[in-house]
mmCIF file of all heavy atoms in Angstrom:
data_model
loop_
_atom_site.group_PDB
_atom_site.id
_atom_site.type_symbol
_atom_site.label_atom_id
_atom_site.label_comp_id
_atom_site.label_asym_id
_atom_site.label_seq_id
_atom_site.Cartn_x
_atom_site.Cartn_y
_atom_site.Cartn_z
ATOM 1 N N MET L 180 5.638 70.317 -43.385
ATOM 2 C CA MET L 180 5.896 71.613 -44.015
ATOM 3 C C MET L 180 7.289 72.115 -43.662
ATOM 4 O O MET L 180 8.012 72.627 -44.521
ATOM 5 C CB MET L 180 4.835 72.628 -43.582
ATOM 6 C CG MET L 180 3.459 72.390 -44.154
ATOM 7 S SD MET L 180 2.229 73.616 -43.573
ATOM 8 C CE MET L 180 2.853 75.106 -44.370
ATOM 9 N N PHE L 294 4.926 80.821 -41.061
ATOM 10 C CA PHE L 294 4.713 80.529 -39.644
ATOM 11 C C PHE L 294 3.682 79.416 -39.492
ATOM 12 O O PHE L 294 2.931 79.093 -40.422
ATOM 13 C CB PHE L 294 4.220 81.777 -38.907
ATOM 14 C CG PHE L 294 2.796 82.138 -39.239
ATOM 15 C CD1 PHE L 294 1.735 81.644 -38.472
ATOM 16 C CD2 PHE L 294 2.492 82.953 -40.325
ATOM 17 C CE1 PHE L 294 0.412 81.952 -38.780
ATOM 18 C CE2 PHE L 294 1.173 83.265 -40.644
ATOM 19 C CZ PHE L 294 0.135 82.765 -39.860
ATOM 20 N N ALA L 295 3.639 78.860 -38.288
ATOM 21 C CA ALA L 295 2.583 77.933 -37.892
ATOM 22 C C ALA L 295 2.165 78.284 -36.476
ATOM 23 O O ALA L 295 3.011 78.548 -35.618
ATOM 24 C CB ALA L 295 3.061 76.488 -37.955
ATOM 25 N N GLU L 296 0.865 78.284 -36.235
ATOM 26 C CA GLU L 296 0.326 78.588 -34.914
ATOM 27 C C GLU L 296 -0.702 77.526 -34.561
ATOM 28 O O GLU L 296 -1.595 77.237 -35.362
ATOM 29 C CB GLU L 296 -0.312 79.978 -34.894
ATOM 30 C CG GLU L 296 -0.841 80.393 -33.534
ATOM 31 C CD GLU L 296 -1.396 81.808 -33.550
ATOM 32 O OE1 GLU L 296 -2.125 82.144 -34.512
ATOM 33 O OE2 GLU L 296 -1.096 82.569 -32.616
ATOM 34 N N GLY L 308 -5.231 74.782 -35.663
ATOM 35 C CA GLY L 308 -4.002 75.400 -36.132
ATOM 36 C C GLY L 308 -4.142 76.069 -37.482
ATOM 37 O O GLY L 308 -5.084 75.804 -38.243
ATOM 38 N N ARG L 309 -3.180 76.926 -37.754
ATOM 39 C CA ARG L 309 -3.115 77.595 -39.046
ATOM 40 C C ARG L 309 -1.663 77.893 -39.366
ATOM 41 O O ARG L 309 -0.809 77.945 -38.470
ATOM 42 C CB ARG L 309 -3.929 78.900 -39.052
ATOM 43 C CG ARG L 309 -3.391 79.967 -38.105
ATOM 44 C CD ARG L 309 -4.340 81.145 -37.995
ATOM 45 N NE ARG L 309 -3.812 82.173 -37.104
ATOM 46 C CZ ARG L 309 -3.187 83.277 -37.511
ATOM 47 N NH1 ARG L 309 -3.010 83.499 -38.813
ATOM 48 N NH2 ARG L 309 -2.737 84.156 -36.633
ATOM 49 N N THR L 310 -1.391 78.061 -40.637
ATOM 50 C CA THR L 310 -0.071 78.483 -41.080
ATOM 51 C C THR L 310 -0.242 79.683 -41.999
ATOM 52 O O THR L 310 -1.376 80.137 -42.234
ATOM 53 C CB THR L 310 0.648 77.352 -41.849
ATOM 54 O OG1 THR L 310 0.059 77.211 -43.152
ATOM 55 C CG2 THR L 310 0.565 76.025 -41.096
ATOM 56 N N HIS L 311 0.864 80.170 -42.536
ATOM 57 C CA HIS L 311 0.779 81.290 -43.470
ATOM 58 C C HIS L 311 0.005 80.909 -44.730
ATOM 59 O O HIS L 311 -0.409 81.789 -45.492
ATOM 60 C CB HIS L 311 2.183 81.768 -43.847
ATOM 61 C CG HIS L 311 3.042 80.710 -44.473
ATOM 62 N ND1 HIS L 311 3.600 79.692 -43.743
ATOM 63 C CD2 HIS L 311 3.421 80.499 -45.760
ATOM 64 C CE1 HIS L 311 4.309 78.901 -44.543
ATOM 65 N NE2 HIS L 311 4.214 79.367 -45.771
ATOM 66 N N LYS L 312 -0.236 79.615 -44.931
ATOM 67 C CA LYS L 312 -0.996 79.154 -46.093
ATOM 68 C C LYS L 312 -2.477 78.996 -45.799
ATOM 69 O O LYS L 312 -3.265 78.741 -46.713
ATOM 70 C CB LYS L 312 -0.424 77.828 -46.595
ATOM 71 C CG LYS L 312 0.965 77.949 -47.214
ATOM 72 C CD LYS L 312 1.378 76.638 -47.860
ATOM 73 C CE LYS L 312 2.638 76.802 -48.682
ATOM 74 N NZ LYS L 312 3.014 75.534 -49.384
ATOM 75 N N GLY L 313 -2.867 79.115 -44.522
ATOM 76 C CA GLY L 313 -4.266 78.971 -44.171
ATOM 77 C C GLY L 313 -4.470 77.976 -43.051
ATOM 78 O O GLY L 313 -3.515 77.468 -42.452
ATOM 79 N N PRO L 314 -5.729 77.657 -42.728
ATOM 80 C CA PRO L 314 -6.029 76.761 -41.600
ATOM 81 C C PRO L 314 -5.634 75.312 -41.883
ATOM 82 O O PRO L 314 -5.593 74.869 -43.036
ATOM 83 C CB PRO L 314 -7.545 76.900 -41.434
ATOM 84 C CG PRO L 314 -8.037 77.334 -42.780
ATOM 85 C CD PRO L 314 -6.957 78.182 -43.360
ATOM 86 N N LEU L 315 -5.366 74.593 -40.803
ATOM 87 C CA LEU L 315 -5.118 73.158 -40.873
ATOM 88 C C LEU L 315 -6.465 72.454 -40.697
ATOM 89 O O LEU L 315 -7.144 72.666 -39.690
ATOM 90 C CB LEU L 315 -4.140 72.734 -39.780
ATOM 91 C CG LEU L 315 -2.748 73.390 -39.849
ATOM 92 C CD1 LEU L 315 -1.970 73.129 -38.566
ATOM 93 C CD2 LEU L 315 -1.974 72.881 -41.061
ATOM 94 N N ASN L 316 -6.831 71.615 -41.650
ATOM 95 C CA ASN L 316 -8.198 71.110 -41.695
ATOM 96 C C ASN L 316 -8.342 69.605 -41.516
ATOM 97 O O ASN L 316 -9.399 69.050 -41.796
ATOM 98 C CB ASN L 316 -8.845 71.506 -43.035
ATOM 99 C CG ASN L 316 -9.042 73.009 -43.147
ATOM 100 O OD1 ASN L 316 -9.476 73.649 -42.192
ATOM 101 N ND2 ASN L 316 -8.711 73.567 -44.301
#
Side-chain angles (χ1 to χ4, degrees):
M180 289 179 67
F294 72 91
E296 183 177 44
R309 65 188 181 99
T310 74
H311 59 286
K312 291 188 170 183
L315 299 168
N316 293 316

